[in-house]
Each structure stands twice: as C-alpha cells, then as structure tokens.
Amino acid sequence: MFQMNLIKNLKTSYEIVLSNDKKLLCHLMGGKTVIFDTKTWEKVIELKKPNNPSHLHFSQNDDMLYIKNTVGTFCVYNTKDFQLIKTIKSGKFFQIEEGNFALLDNPFTILDVLKINDKKQVCTLNFETGIYQVLTELEGSHIKFNQSVTNDNTYLFTLYYLKEINGNHYSRQKLVKVKNPLTEPSYSFESLLELQNWDLVYFEPVHQVYIFVHKDYELTIMDAELKNVLKKSNLIENGIQSTDEYFVHIASSNDGNYIVLTSNDRVFILGFEDLTPIQIEEFKYACFAEFSKDDTYFLVGTWSKGFVFDNILKGVKL
C-alpha cells in the first residue's frame, strides 16, 4: 500500500498519535486507548478510561496524555507510569461538547467548545479549578474545532448556522479565529460566502495558505488573509473517479510537499504544487490519515484497522 513498508498493523484506529519525542504511539479504539513503544513496537498499556475515546493530545514535554471521549469526558494520565491524574466531566454550569480540542500553555488548561445556558461557545477550561472563561459570543447550531496554528497562537473553528433568505433557511458556515486565549483573548470570523458548504478546511503552515475541500471534489486554496483565491483544482479533472464517498480529514506533510485527504473509502496523497494525485489507496470506513510530525511515518486509521507505514516520501519534492 502506498508503495511504503508496513511497520505495524493495528486494530480499530479512530485516531493515531505519536508523542512529540516519537517514543510512544497511541491509537483509539471503541472502548480504550492503546499505547505502544515505537522502539520495540510492543504494547505498553491499555487505558480503559475514558470509554469510547475520540481525541487525544500529548503535552508539549510529553509528561501528560489528555484523552477526550465522545460525550465530553476527559482523562489526564502521566506518561511515566500511566497513572490517572485527573478526570473532568460536564457539570451543572457547562456541558463539554463532542469534538477535538487544543492544549494551552498553562498546565491542565484546554481550549474547547462548551455549551452554557443552551448556547455553544469557545472557552478555556482549567481542569484543576474547574473555572472556565467564555471567549466568544457566537450564534449557531454547531461549532467545530479545526486546528491550532501554533506560530500565531491562533485556533481555527468552523461555525455552522442557518440563514433565512426569502423565507427559506440555508445552512451557512463561518471560519472563526480565536487568538491569544490565555493572555489577550480575541476572535474574528470570515463569512467566505463564495466558499459555502465546504467539507474541510486546513491551514497549511509551510506555504501559509488555507485549503478548502468541497463536496464536488473541488479544492480551493486561499492566502493567509483569506482575501484572494490562489488556486482551484478539481480532483475529478485530475483523474480521480467520483463515488458516493465524503471527506472526513485533511492534513499535510511536515515539509509542506504533500496534502493528505481522507474520505470514508479512500486515502489520497496529493502533490502540493499542482494538487495532482500521487498515491490513492482504498480503505473501507477510513477516518484518519496523517504524516507524523517529522514525516517519519504515515499513519492511517479506519473503523476496523490501523496502519503505520515507513514514509518513503519524506524529503521528496515533486
């Protein structure tokens, strides 16, 4: 597959994450989080709390592992002996929404979407004190965390809402940027009316551009200010056959040479310069594909299996 060497076969893998020092690899199954030592590829431990994990992050120095499940429960483990340090759930005054989250510089502090007084907002939440700070005043039916842009201390969310036009209601989206959440919090949003109903959005940090993926296999690249469309490309015109698939994940290689698109049936590796397909593989019920942070590995997750490949594309520019 992908003309790459398969290093490790995994079971169900909704998400696969390497520690920053590359010593540990985690993958999320339906009822547990499984951790491997990347030197031996032997299993280190299985963490059964929280049940139904959906997203995880290592702290910057890899001393803690944060795991969130599908109903918003968090468990924090130390990585020395994987003892459970902290558990936090939705409470009387806030409800933690399902979805990905960001770790902030302060210990035990995250950026996430909370439902407060029946409204969903972007908030900081400190696990030790239980104190949260509401950073936005958004009106919408759903808010999804997309990505951390660490160099700019900016965090990207998509806001979904309904707009009434001539008596009819239409689904609309706005890209929300939250900046400096711990020091001088602010937020702004882009309507991007010409790019409505995108499936995925991703900020590519090497080239400093936004990539939008649409339902009709079209990709739109915009500049960092979201003022100009730099390029449009249709994957069907580049030889990809249309199916009933839908896109679920987007990422790039660390060197910026490649874009990875995951649909529910296939994984595409595209060359960044012209967005042409380099590798395409079928994976039934795919949900995740990314290069590791230093491009050493290529990671693919599906509802039934996971794969760790030796990335032969590292450093190769088309």
Side-chain angles (χ1 to χ4, degrees), residues 166-194:
N166 297 326
N168 297 313
H169 289 86
Y170 298 89
S171 176
R172 291 290 184 263
Q173 296 155 290
K174 293 180 181 179
L175 186 64
V176 181
K177 298 180 182 180
V178 176
K179 291 181 65 71
N180 306 318
L182 290 176
T183 54
E184 298 178 355
S186 65
Y187 73 96
S188 60
F189 48 97
E190 306 285 344
S191 295
L192 299 169
L193 294 178
E194 72 278 12

Side-chain angles (χ1 to χ4, degrees), residues 100-154:
N100 205 351
F101 65 99
L103 290 183
L104 301 180
D105 289 339
N106 283 14
F108 296 105
T109 306
I110 64 163
L111 186 71
D112 206 345
V113 177
L114 304 184
K115 188 175 182 180
I116 302 166
N117 296 327
D118 292 326
K119 289 191 176 182
K120 300 174 185 179
Q121 303 294 343
V122 179
C123 305
T124 60
L125 174 61
N126 185 287
F127 287 180
E128 289 187 305
T129 64
I131 295 174
Y132 63 87
Q133 180 180 2
V134 180
L135 305 184
T136 58
E137 295 181 2
L138 304 175
E139 296 287 343
S141 58
H142 183 61
I143 309 170
K144 175 186 175 183
F145 173 64
N146 295 313
Q147 183 184 359
S148 302
V149 184
T150 54
N151 291 341
D152 194 34
N153 201 18
T154 297

Side-chain angles (χ1 to χ4, degrees), residues 237-284:
E237 295 174 358
N238 284 330
I240 290 179
Q241 184 178 359
S242 173
T243 71
D244 293 332
E245 69 197 319
Y246 53 90
F247 293 106
V248 295
H249 194 69
I250 182 173
S252 67
S253 58
N254 183 65
D255 57 20
N257 291 336
Y258 303 97
I259 302 298
V260 184
L261 281 178
T262 305
S263 80
N264 59 309
D265 282 330
R266 293 187 283 185
V267 173
F268 308 83
I269 300 178
L270 313 176
F272 175 82
E273 292 298 331
D274 54 10
L275 299 177
T276 56
I278 306 301
Q279 301 275 357
I280 306 173
E281 292 286 350
E282 293 186 4
F283 290 92
K284 190 174 183 180

